[in-house]
Amino acid sequence: MTVRFGLLGAGRIGKVHAKAVSGDANAQLVAVADAFPAAAQAIADAYGCEVRTIEAIETAKDIDAVVICTPTDTHADLIERFARAGKAIFCEKPVDLDADRVKACLKVVKETGAKLMVGFNRRFDPHFMAVRKAIDDGRIGAVEMVTITSRDPGAPPIDYIKRSGGIFRDMTIHDFDMARFLLGEEPVAATAHAAVLVDKAIGEAGDYDSVSVILETASGKQAMISNSRRATYGYDQRIEVHGSKGMVAAENQRAVSIEIANGDGYTRPPLHDFFMTRYTEAYANEIAGFIAAIEKGSPITPSGADGLAALVLADAALQSVKEKRQIAIL
Amino acid sequence: MTVRFGLLGAGRIGKVHAKAVSGDANAQLVAVADAFPAAAQAIADAYGCEVRTIEAIETAKDIDAVVICTPTDTHADLIERFARAGKAIFCEKPVDLDADRVKACLKVVKETGAKLMVGFNRRFDPHFMAVRKAIDDGRIGAVEMVTITSRDPGAPPIDYIKRSGGIFRDMTIHDFDMARFLLGEEPVAATAHAAVLVDKAIGEAGDYDSVSVILETASGKQAMISNSRRATYGYDQRIEVHGSKGMVAAENQRAVSIEIANGDGYTRPPLHDFFMTRYTEAYANEIAGFIAAIEKGSPITPSGADGLAALVLADAALQSVKEKRQIAIL
Amino acid sequence: MTVRFGLLGAGRIGKVHAKAVSGDANAQLVAVADAFPAAAQAIADAYGCEVRTIEAIETAKDIDAVVICTPTDTHADLIERFARAGKAIFCEKPVDLDADRVKACLKVVKETGAKLMVGFNRRFDPHFMAVRKAIDDGRIGAVEMVTITSRDPGAPPIDYIKRSGGIFRDMTIHDFDMARFLLGEEPVAATAHAAVLVDKAIGEAGDYDSVSVILETASGKQAMISNSRRATYGYDQRIEVHGSKGMVAAENQRAVSIEIANGDGYTRPPLHDFFMTRYTEAYANEIAGFIAAIEKGSPITPSGADGLAALVLADAALQSVKEKRQIAIL
Amino acid sequence: MTVRFGLLGAGRIGKVHAKAVSGDANAQLVAVADAFPAAAQAIADAYGCEVRTIEAIETAKDIDAVVICTPTDTHADLIERFARAGKAIFCEKPVDLDADRVKACLKVVKETGAKLMVGFNRRFDPHFMAVRKAIDDGRIGAVEMVTITSRDPGAPPIDYIKRSGGIFRDMTIHDFDMARFLLGEEPVAATAHAAVLVDKAIGEAGDYDSVSVILETASGKQAMISNSRRATYGYDQRIEVHGSKGMVAAENQRAVSIEIANGDGYTRPPLHDFFMTRYTEAYANEIAGFIAAIEKGSPITPSGADGLAALVLADAALQSVKEKRQIAIL
C-alpha cells in the first residue's frame, strides 16, 4: 500500500516533511498547498507533485493523508476540516496555544474517528528512542528521576516570541512531552521558576528566556527541566533517567566529532547549531512512523491527547511562576 | 610557623583529618581526644601525638587550633568553648541542625573574634575549584543556570537517618553550599519536591530519599539540585554551570579509568563508591586551606555564616515540600 | 547541468551508489547493467531508470558518466573501454590487484584524457575530512606521526579472501590511502609484520589476518597502521595525526550513543557493525564530489594515480613481511 | 616487620622515593647518601633520617634495603656492591646502558642471591595495572595486538640526550617493558623507524626524537610503539590491547578534568605535564610492592632480567633503524 499525501504549508518545516514523504518507499507526495504560490511551486518542482488549494486537497480522492505545517493559529481549524474529510492527519505541534481550543478540536477528531499524530519529533530521535528502549528492557529498573537539559543556540526574533505563546508553550513543551515519554506515569504537580537573563527584549515582550521546572508524579517520580534560549556551544539536548537499578543518558550530538589537542587542551567542535540538522533522523523516523501506523491501522503516538497533556503542563508551569507555588495537574 | 593541632573526635572522619594534619609541613598534631579511649590511642600511636581530654586541650598552651569531628549535637557547644579558649576552629558540618542554635553559636564566635571554618569539603575538590576558577576567569561570562547532581551509592542506616535532620540538612546541604559557591549571588527563593522511592523505611522515619530543588537569586539566576540516596553505579557528583558566554562542567571521577570493549559495548568501571575516596584530595586541600588562613591571618572560607546560609536553604526546602509553594529566603 | 549516469554492477555497493546518484539534484540515473538481469531490474524499478547492456551504455549518447561496481577483475578493462567511449568514470577500488595492469590502464586513461575517480570512500567521511581540514588550517603544525587503527567486525568468507589479493591489497589499502591523504608527503619506505591470529583458514588460504605497518617519508614523517580481521566491538576505524603544534584525532562512530550505568560500570553500545552504515555519509559525499568535479571540470581526487600509489604500498608491505626488511618505495 | 632503608641519591627521583618510603607504614628511612651534602641533608631534615656515606650504608647493620637513584653509570657497580653486602636493592632503570655490563651485573645478583627490583614504575600505575588485570581475568580473550603511545611534553636538555644512550634506551625502554608486560609472550623480532622531527640538535647529538616500533612474538602477537619527544598537549601515555574477545585501553590522565564549552567547542585541560605528577600513584605503589615482596619473601617483579630484556629490545630497535631490517631477538 502506498499512502498518498497532501502537504499543507511549504515553509521550512514543510520542506523537511516533503523530503521525508518523497523518500519513503511506502508514501507518495501528491499535492502541496501554500498561501505563497512560489513556495508551493518550489516543492512541486523538486518532488514532482502538484500545486493545489487546501480546498482541493480536502476533497481529493487521490489523497489519503495530510501533513499540516501551516502557521500555528490555523492548526486546529485544519485538523477539524481534514478529520471531517476523512484524511489521516500529521500536524506539527502545537494543536493550538489554548487548551480549551485543543480540547474542542480533539472532540472533533474523536467524533470523526480521524487518525491524528502530533509532531513531537524528539520521540523519534534514535538516541532518545534507545533511552526509552533501555528503560523498557529493564536496564535501569524503575524510573525515578528524569533530567532534561534543553538549550537553544540563540533566541528567535522578538516577533516570533510575541506569537509563540511564551517559552513554556513554545520551547519547554518538547521537554514536557519528553518527560511524559520517559517517566511512564503522568505528572500530578508542576513547579517552575523563570527569569529573563538572555535578552531584556524578551522580558519586554512578556516572556522569559531561562526556566527551571520540576514535575512530580503520583508515586513521587520527579523530572527536572532546564531551558535557556541561548547556548554559545550549540543546540544542547540531553536527557538522563535515573532508576532503581541504574541510569541511562543520551548525550549531545555533533555533526563532526574530531578532537584537537594542543597547549590549550583537548577541544571537540561545538554541537549542531540548528534543530533541523540535530533532528534530521528524528524527522524522517517520525513521518515513517506515521505512514506505518496508517498502513497497519495501529494506534498513533504521539496523539492529540499527548499534545494536550504537554500543553496543560506548560500552562501549569506558567501559573506556578506567577503564583509562586506548586500547581496540581488535574 | 607551625600550627599546633588538637583533634576532637577519633572516628572515621577524624582519622582523615589526623592524616591530613600530620602530613602537612606547616602543621603538627599535638593531641587527640575521644570518648572512646581506644580510638584516641589508635590515632595517637599512628601519628605520634598525645591522648588528652577535651578540657586539657581547651586550656593547653601548646595548641593553636582544633578540628572538631565529634557527633553533630556537640558541635555548637564545642565551637563556643574553643572560641572562648582562643583557638582557631575547624568544625565538620553542620554547626547544628537548628538554625537558631547556629545563630547563637556564631554570635559567640563573632564576639570572641575566633577563626572558624566549616567543613564543606567539596569547595576544595580540585575539579570543582577549577570550575569556580573558570567562572572567575570569565570563561563562561555571567553565571545563569547551575545544575548539581548528587547521588549516594546507598542510603545510610535508618538510625543515622533518624538523627540526620533529614535529607535536606544532611545530604543536600553540601549541594546548597555548592550552589551558593557557584551562583555568586544569594538565593532569595527555594522550591523543592521530595519523595520516598528508594526505601520505605526512610519514609517511615519521616524522611525522603529522592529530592529535586530549584533555587533562584534576586537577578533570576537559577540552580537545580537532584539528589538520590541510591546510585548503583557509585558516588555520583557532578556540577555544571551555564553562563552568558559558555558552560563549564565537572564530570564524575573514577579510581580507575580503563575501558573494555566487546560485543556488549564499551564499558568503563563504576565511579568511586565512597565519599572519602572520591574527596581524598578535597579533604587534604581543606585542612591545608585552614592552616594557610591561620598562618596568613587571611579570612576563612567557608565560614560559620556559610554554614548557616546552607542550613537556611535546607530548612526552606523542607518547608517548600510541606507547603507546596516557593519559600522566600530572608 | 545534470550529469547522466550509467551504473555497471547492481550488487550491494551498486545499490549504495544508485541511491546516491538518484538523490543528487545534479545527477540522473539513466541506466543500469548487470550480469544478473533481476538485480539490474530491481534497481531500475526502485529508481526509475532503464536496464541496458554494458555495450549499450558504452555507446549511449544520453550517458555522461559511469559508476563501476562490477567484480574487481573487470575494473581495468571497463575503465579502458569507457575512457575510450569518452565517459567520466567512477570506479570502486581497486583498479586491479596487479600494479602493472593498473599502470597500463592508467596509460589509457591518460591518453584518452578521461576523468577517473577511484573509490577510496573514507576520504569523504565528514570526520576524516575534518581531520584533513584541521591540518590544512594549521591547527597541529607540521604533520609528524600518523596512527591508523582499522579493524573489521569479522573476517569475510574464505572464498572472498582467496580472490582478495590478500589483506594488504584488500583491507590495508584503505589505510595506505588514508596515510597518504594525511601525511601530505609520499612514503619512501614501508615495513610490515603480519600473522594469522584470527582464523587458521585464512592462513591456509595464504593470507594474514593481523598486520602492523610502518610507513616513512623522505623527511622522516611516520605512519603506523594496525589491522585485524576481527573486532568483537564493531567496525573500528580511528585516525590520529600528531604534529609539531598539536594533535587531531577522529574517534569511532556509533549508530546510537547512549550510555547505561549500573553496578558493572558505564556502558556505551558497540560501534557500527558494517562499513556501509559507518560510511553512509562518505558514500554520498564521494559521489557528490565526483559529480561536482565533472560539472566544474576540476581535478578529480582520489585519482587513478592515488589508486596505484596505495597498491604499490600494499605490494611493498607484503614484500617486507616475506623478506623481513624495510622496502624502499620507488 | 619494618624494612629499614638507605637512599642512594637525593635528586629529583630520590625525593619521590624518600617520601614513598617514609609514608609507608611497613618501612623506615634510616639514612641518605649523596655526592652533594646539601641535597642529602635536605632529605634528612624533611624525613628525620641520617646523612651517611655510601660506604657506611653498605656496612650498616640497621639497613635492610637500598634505593638506588644515583646517575645511571653508577647503577651496575652499586647493585653489585649492595648485592654482596646482602641488602635488598631497588634500582631506578636502567641497570646500565650496555647489555653486556647488565649481564655481568645480574650474574653477581644471581650468585649473591640478592633481591633486585628494577624501576619500571609504569607497571604500578593503577590504570595500567587494571589493564593487565582485565587481561588476566579473561575479559579480552587472547592478547593479539598491543598499541602503546608515549610522548613527552618536551625534549630533555641536549646534555641529557648525549648521556642518555639514545631515545630507544632512554624513553622507549619503558614502552618495551610495557609491551612485554602486556603481550605475555616474549618478542622474537623487532623493527623500527626513527627520525629527527622535533629538534635538529637532537640529530646532531646522534639521536632521534620520533620513532615507531613493531615487536612480534613467536605466535605472531604484535606490539606497536609510537614515541615523540614533544607533545604540546602534555604527557601522552596510552595503552591499548586488542584480543580475541575484546579490547581494553587506558586513556590519558588529567590533573583536573573539567570541560568548558563555548563557540569554539568543548575543551578539556591539557594532560599532566610531568612524569612525576602523572605517575605519583605508580611511584608509591612501586615502593610498596618492593617492601611487600621483601616482607613476604615473594619473587620481585620487574626483575633484573626484565631490565635486561627491555634493553635488548632497545638495542635491536636501534640496529633495525641502522640496517633497515627486522632484527631477531635471541
Side-chain angles (χ1 to χ4, degrees):
Chain A
M1 173 192 171
T2 296
V3 181
R4 299 164 300 174
F5 272 86
L7 174 67
L8 312 184
R12 192 170 62 176
I13 193 70
K15 284 179 197 161
V16 171
H17 292 310
K19 186 173 178 181
V21 169
S22 298
D24 195 304
N26 300 312
Q28 182 190 356
L29 183 59
V30 173
V32 58
D34 196 284
F36 296 91
Q41 193 59 50
I43 283 185
D45 290 349
Y47 298 102
C49 71
E50 294 178 21
V51 174
R52 297 188 189 167
T53 62
I54 287 180
E55 292 69 22
I57 293 173
E58 202 175 356
T59 56
K61 297 202 169 158
D62 62 346
I63 287 181
D64 308 306
V66 290
V67 174
I68 302 178
C69 309
T70 51
T72 293
D73 57 8
T74 66
H75 287 185
D77 287 350
L78 289 172
I79 289 172
E80 291 177 357
R81 282 172 64 178
F82 282 88
R84 291 186 176 116
K87 311 299 188 197
I89 305 159
F90 174 93
C91 184
E92 270 304 313
K93 69 96 194 165
V95 172
D96 196 88
L97 293 173
D98 180 82
D100 287 335
R101 180 70 190 91
V102 177
K103 286 175 192 167
C105 177
L106 297 186
K107 192 155 169 280
V108 173
V109 171
K110 192 175 180 188
E111 289 167 0
T112 58
K115 290 177 181 296
L116 170 64
M117 180 185 274
V118 174
F120 286 125
N121 59 300
R122 294 184 197 173
R123 290 195 184 203
F124 298 91
D125 175 69
H127 314 288
F128 297 168
M129 288 171 76
V131 166
R132 180 67 252 175
K133 184 173 187 307
I135 296 169
D136 293 340
D137 290 349
R139 303 287 298 273
I140 66 161
V143 168
E144 294 176 353
M145 316 279 279
V146 170
T147 306
I148 301 174
T149 305
S150 181
R151 298 174 186 142
D152 283 350
I158 290 297
D159 269 0
Y160 177 91
I161 294 277
K162 287 178 181 168
R163 289 177 287 109
S164 71
I167 187 169
F168 291 116
R169 292 193 193 94
D170 179 59
M171 180 175 172
T172 324
I173 198 159
H174 279 290
D175 307 307
F176 288 127
D177 183 63
M178 187 52 59
R180 292 182 64 246
F181 181 59
L182 297 173
L183 282 169
E185 182 184 328
E186 288 301 321
V188 295
T191 306
H193 286 241
V196 178
L197 300 173
V198 173
D199 186 350
K200 285 182 184 175
I202 292 174
E204 289 160 8
D207 199 2
Y208 309 100
D209 53 37
S210 303
V211 308
S212 299
V213 182
I214 303 173
L215 303 176
E216 186 175 350
T217 71
S219 71
K221 298 179 198 296
Q222 295 153 48
M224 301 187 78
I225 300 169
S226 176
N227 278 174
S228 172
R229 282 289 194 185
R230 179 241 298 115
T232 58
Y233 40 89
Y235 189 45
D236 188 3
Q237 299 279 297
R238 287 170 281 160
I239 61 175
E240 174 180 316
V241 187
H242 176 78
S244 57
K245 293 186 184 167
M247 195 257 290
V248 57
E251 280 299 305
N252 274 309
Q253 299 296 315
R254 286 170 169 75
V256 167
S257 60
I258 66 170
E259 188 165 48
I260 296 177
N262 58 32
D264 295 328
Y266 281 66
T267 301
R268 295 179 292 158
L271 309 175
H272 284 282
D273 61 358
F274 195 35
F275 67 90
M276 290 216 274
T277 55
R278 167 62 184 85
Y279 286 118
T280 303
E281 288 171 291
Y283 281 115
N285 291 344
E286 180 182 52
I287 288 292
F290 179 60
I291 293 166
I294 294 172
E295 288 185 314
K296 297 178 192 164
S298 52
I300 287 190
T301 306
S303 67
D306 290 314
L308 177 60
L311 182 60
V312 166
L313 292 174
D315 289 350
L318 185 60
Q319 187 182 358
S320 174
V321 171
K322 300 212 179 286
E323 302 183 3
K324 299 194 179 187
R325 65 178 182 90
Q326 216 182 88
I327 304 299
I329 310 299
L330 303 178
Chain B
M1 172 192 171
T2 296
V3 181
R4 299 164 301 176
F5 272 85
L7 174 67
L8 312 184
R12 193 170 62 176
I13 194 70
K15 284 179 198 160
V16 171
H17 292 310
K19 185 173 179 180
V21 169
S22 298
D24 195 304
N26 300 312
Q28 183 190 353
L29 183 61
V30 172
V32 57
D34 196 284
F36 294 91
Q41 193 60 49
I43 284 185
D45 291 347
Y47 298 103
C49 71
E50 293 177 19
V51 174
R52 295 188 191 168
T53 63
I54 288 182
E55 291 71 23
I57 292 173
E58 200 174 358
T59 56
K61 296 200 168 161
D62 61 347
I63 286 182
D64 307 307
V66 291
V67 173
I68 302 178
C69 309
T70 52
T72 292
D73 57 8
T74 66
H75 287 185
D77 289 348
L78 288 173
I79 289 172
E80 290 178 357
R81 281 170 64 177
F82 282 89
R84 290 187 176 116
K87 311 300 188 196
I89 305 160
F90 174 93
C91 184
E92 270 304 312
K93 69 96 193 163
V95 171
D96 197 89
L97 293 173
D98 179 81
D100 288 334
R101 181 69 190 89
V102 176
K103 285 175 192 166
C105 175
L106 296 187
K107 190 154 172 280
V108 173
V109 171
K110 193 175 180 187
E111 288 167 0
T112 57
K115 289 176 183 297
L116 171 64
M117 179 185 273
V118 174
F120 285 125
N121 59 300
R122 292 182 198 175
R123 290 194 184 205
F124 297 91
D125 176 70
H127 313 289
F128 296 169
M129 288 171 76
V131 167
R132 180 67 252 176
K133 184 173 186 307
I135 297 169
D136 293 340
D137 291 349
R139 303 288 297 275
I140 65 161
V143 169
E144 294 175 355
M145 315 279 278
V146 170
T147 307
I148 301 174
T149 305
S150 181
R151 298 173 187 143
D152 283 349
I158 291 298
D159 269 0
Y160 177 90
I161 294 277
K162 288 178 180 168
R163 288 176 288 109
S164 71
I167 187 170
F168 290 116
R169 292 193 193 96
D170 178 59
M171 180 176 171
T172 324
I173 198 158
H174 279 290
D175 306 307
F176 288 127
D177 183 64
M178 186 53 59
R180 292 181 63 245
F181 181 60
L182 297 172
L183 282 169
E185 184 184 326
E186 288 300 322
V188 297
T191 306
H193 287 241
V196 178
L197 301 172
V198 174
D199 186 351
K200 286 181 183 174
I202 292 175
E204 289 160 8
D207 199 2
Y208 309 101
D209 53 37
S210 304
V211 307
S212 300
V213 182
I214 303 174
L215 303 177
E216 186 175 351
T217 71
S219 71
K221 298 178 197 300
Q222 294 152 49
M224 300 186 79
I225 300 169
S226 177
N227 280 172
S228 172
R229 284 287 194 187
R230 179 241 299 114
T232 58
Y233 41 90
Y235 188 46
D236 188 3
Q237 299 278 297
R238 287 170 284 160
I239 60 177
E240 175 179 316
V241 187
H242 177 77
S244 57
K245 294 185 183 166
M247 193 259 290
V248 57
E251 279 299 305
N252 275 310
Q253 300 295 314
R254 285 170 170 76
V256 167
S257 60
I258 66 170
E259 189 165 46
I260 296 176
N262 58 33
D264 294 328
Y266 281 65
T267 301
R268 295 179 291 157
L271 309 175
H272 284 282
D273 61 356
F274 195 36
F275 66 91
M276 292 215 272
T277 55
R278 168 62 185 84
Y279 286 120
T280 303
E281 288 170 292
Y283 282 115
N285 291 343
E286 179 182 53
I287 287 292
F290 179 60
I291 293 167
I294 294 172
E295 288 184 314
K296 297 178 191 164
S298 52
I300 286 189
T301 304
S303 67
D306 290 314
L308 178 60
L311 183 61
V312 167
L313 292 173
D315 288 350
L318 185 59
Q319 188 182 357
S320 174
V321 171
K322 299 211 177 287
E323 302 183 4
K324 300 194 177 189
R325 65 178 182 91
Q326 217 183 89
I327 304 299
I329 310 299
L330 304 178
Chain C
M1 172 191 171
T2 296
V3 181
R4 298 165 301 176
F5 273 85
L7 174 67
L8 312 184
R12 192 169 63 174
I13 194 70
K15 285 178 197 161
V16 171
H17 292 310
K19 185 173 181 180
V21 169
S22 298
D24 194 305
N26 300 311
Q28 183 191 353
L29 184 60
V30 173
V32 57
D34 196 284
F36 294 91
Q41 193 60 49
I43 284 185
D45 291 347
Y47 298 103
C49 72
E50 294 178 19
V51 174
R52 296 188 189 168
T53 63
I54 288 181
E55 291 70 24
I57 293 174
E58 199 175 357
T59 57
K61 297 202 168 160
D62 62 348
I63 285 182
D64 309 305
V66 290
V67 173
I68 302 178
C69 309
T70 51
T72 293
D73 58 7
T74 66
H75 287 184
D77 288 349
L78 288 172
I79 289 171
E80 291 177 356
R81 282 171 62 178
F82 283 88
R84 289 187 176 116
K87 311 298 189 198
I89 304 158
F90 174 92
C91 184
E92 271 303 313
K93 69 97 194 163
V95 173
D96 197 89
L97 294 172
D98 180 82
D100 287 335
R101 181 68 190 90
V102 177
K103 286 175 192 166
C105 176
L106 296 186
K107 191 154 171 282
V108 175
V109 171
K110 191 176 182 185
E111 289 167 358
T112 57
K115 290 176 182 297
L116 171 64
M117 179 185 275
V118 174
F120 285 126
N121 59 301
R122 294 183 196 174
R123 290 195 183 205
F124 297 91
D125 175 70
H127 314 288
F128 297 169
M129 288 171 77
V131 167
R132 180 66 251 175
K133 184 172 187 307
I135 297 168
D136 293 340
D137 291 349
R139 301 288 297 275
I140 65 161
V143 169
E144 294 176 354
M145 316 280 278
V146 171
T147 306
I148 301 173
T149 305
S150 182
R151 298 173 187 143
D152 284 349
I158 291 298
D159 269 0
Y160 177 91
I161 293 277
K162 287 178 181 167
R163 288 176 288 109
S164 71
I167 188 169
F168 291 116
R169 292 191 192 96
D170 178 60
M171 179 176 173
T172 324
I173 198 158
H174 279 290
D175 306 307
F176 288 128
D177 183 63
M178 187 53 58
R180 291 182 63 248
F181 180 60
L182 297 172
L183 282 168
E185 183 184 327
E186 288 300 322
V188 297
T191 305
H193 287 241
V196 178
L197 301 173
V198 173
D199 185 351
K200 285 182 184 176
I202 292 175
E204 289 160 9
D207 199 1
Y208 309 100
D209 54 37
S210 304
V211 309
S212 301
V213 181
I214 303 173
L215 303 177
E216 187 175 351
T217 71
S219 72
K221 298 178 198 300
Q222 294 153 48
M224 300 187 80
I225 300 168
S226 177
N227 279 173
S228 172
R229 282 288 194 186
R230 180 241 299 114
T232 58
Y233 41 89
Y235 189 45
D236 188 3
Q237 298 278 299
R238 287 170 283 159
I239 61 176
E240 174 180 317
V241 187
H242 176 78
S244 57
K245 294 184 183 168
M247 193 257 290
V248 57
E251 280 298 306
N252 274 311
Q253 300 296 314
R254 284 170 171 76
V256 167
S257 58
I258 65 169
E259 187 166 48
I260 296 176
N262 57 33
D264 294 330
Y266 281 66
T267 301
R268 294 179 292 158
L271 308 175
H272 284 281
D273 62 356
F274 194 34
F275 67 92
M276 291 217 272
T277 55
R278 167 63 184 85
Y279 286 120
T280 302
E281 289 171 289
Y283 281 115
N285 291 343
E286 179 182 54
I287 287 293
F290 179 61
I291 293 166
I294 294 172
E295 288 185 314
K296 298 178 190 163
S298 52
I300 287 190
T301 306
S303 68
D306 291 314
L308 178 60
L311 182 61
V312 166
L313 292 173
D315 289 349
L318 185 60
Q319 188 182 357
S320 174
V321 171
K322 300 212 178 288
E323 301 182 5
K324 300 193 178 190
R325 65 178 182 90
Q326 215 180 92
I327 304 299
I329 310 299
L330 305 178
Chain D
M1 172 191 170
T2 296
V3 180
R4 298 164 302 173
F5 272 86
L7 174 68
L8 313 184
R12 193 169 62 176
I13 193 70
K15 283 178 197 161
V16 170
H17 292 310
K19 185 173 179 180
V21 169
S22 298
D24 195 304
N26 300 312
Q28 182 190 356
L29 184 60
V30 173
V32 57
D34 196 284
F36 294 93
Q41 192 60 48
I43 283 185
D45 291 348
Y47 297 103
C49 71
E50 295 178 20
V51 174
R52 297 188 189 167
T53 62
I54 289 181
E55 291 71 22
I57 292 173
E58 200 174 359
T59 56
K61 297 200 168 163
D62 62 347
I63 287 181
D64 308 306
V66 291
V67 174
I68 301 178
C69 308
T70 53
T72 293
D73 57 7
T74 67
H75 286 184
D77 288 350
L78 287 173
I79 290 171
E80 292 178 356
R81 281 171 63 179
F82 282 88
R84 290 184 176 118
K87 311 298 188 198
I89 304 160
F90 175 92
C91 184
E92 271 304 311
K93 70 97 195 163
V95 172
D96 197 88
L97 294 172
D98 180 82
D100 287 336
R101 181 68 190 90
V102 176
K103 286 175 191 165
C105 176
L106 297 186
K107 191 153 171 280
V108 173
V109 172
K110 191 175 183 188
E111 288 167 0
T112 56
K115 289 176 181 300
L116 171 64
M117 179 186 273
V118 174
F120 285 125
N121 58 300
R122 293 182 197 175
R123 290 195 184 203
F124 297 91
D125 175 69
H127 314 288
F128 296 169
M129 287 170 77
V131 167
R132 179 67 252 175
K133 183 172 187 308
I135 298 169
D136 293 340
D137 290 350
R139 302 288 296 274
I140 65 162
V143 169
E144 294 176 355
M145 315 280 279
V146 171
T147 307
I148 301 174
T149 305
S150 181
R151 296 173 187 143
D152 284 349
I158 291 298
D159 269 1
Y160 176 90
I161 294 278
K162 287 178 181 167
R163 287 176 290 110
S164 71
I167 187 169
F168 291 116
R169 292 191 192 97
D170 178 60
M171 180 175 172
T172 324
I173 199 160
H174 279 291
D175 307 307
F176 287 128
D177 182 64
M178 187 53 59
R180 292 182 63 246
F181 180 60
L182 297 172
L183 282 168
E185 182 184 327
E186 288 300 321
V188 298
T191 306
H193 286 241
V196 178
L197 300 173
V198 174
D199 185 351
K200 286 182 183 175
I202 293 174
E204 289 161 9
D207 199 2
Y208 309 100
D209 54 37
S210 304
V211 309
S212 301
V213 182
I214 303 172
L215 303 177
E216 187 175 351
T217 71
S219 71
K221 299 179 197 297
Q222 294 154 48
M224 301 189 77
I225 300 168
S226 176
N227 280 174
S228 172
R229 283 288 195 186
R230 180 242 299 116
T232 59
Y233 42 88
Y235 189 46
D236 189 2
Q237 299 279 298
R238 286 171 283 160
I239 61 177
E240 175 180 316
V241 186
H242 177 78
S244 57
K245 293 185 183 167
M247 195 256 290
V248 57
E251 279 300 304
N252 274 310
Q253 299 295 314
R254 285 170 170 78
V256 167
S257 59
I258 66 170
E259 187 164 47
I260 295 176
N262 57 33
D264 295 330
Y266 281 66
T267 301
R268 293 179 294 157
L271 308 176
H272 283 281
D273 62 357
F274 194 35
F275 67 92
M276 291 216 272
T277 54
R278 167 64 183 84
Y279 286 119
T280 302
E281 287 170 292
Y283 281 115
N285 291 344
E286 179 182 54
I287 287 293
F290 179 59
I291 292 167
I294 293 173
E295 287 185 315
K296 298 178 191 164
S298 53
I300 287 189
T301 305
S303 67
D306 290 313
L308 177 60
L311 182 61
V312 166
L313 292 173
D315 289 350
L318 184 60
Q319 188 182 357
S320 174
V321 171
K322 298 209 179 291
E323 301 183 5
K324 300 193 177 189
R325 64 178 183 89
Q326 213 182 92
I327 304 298
I329 311 298
L330 304 178

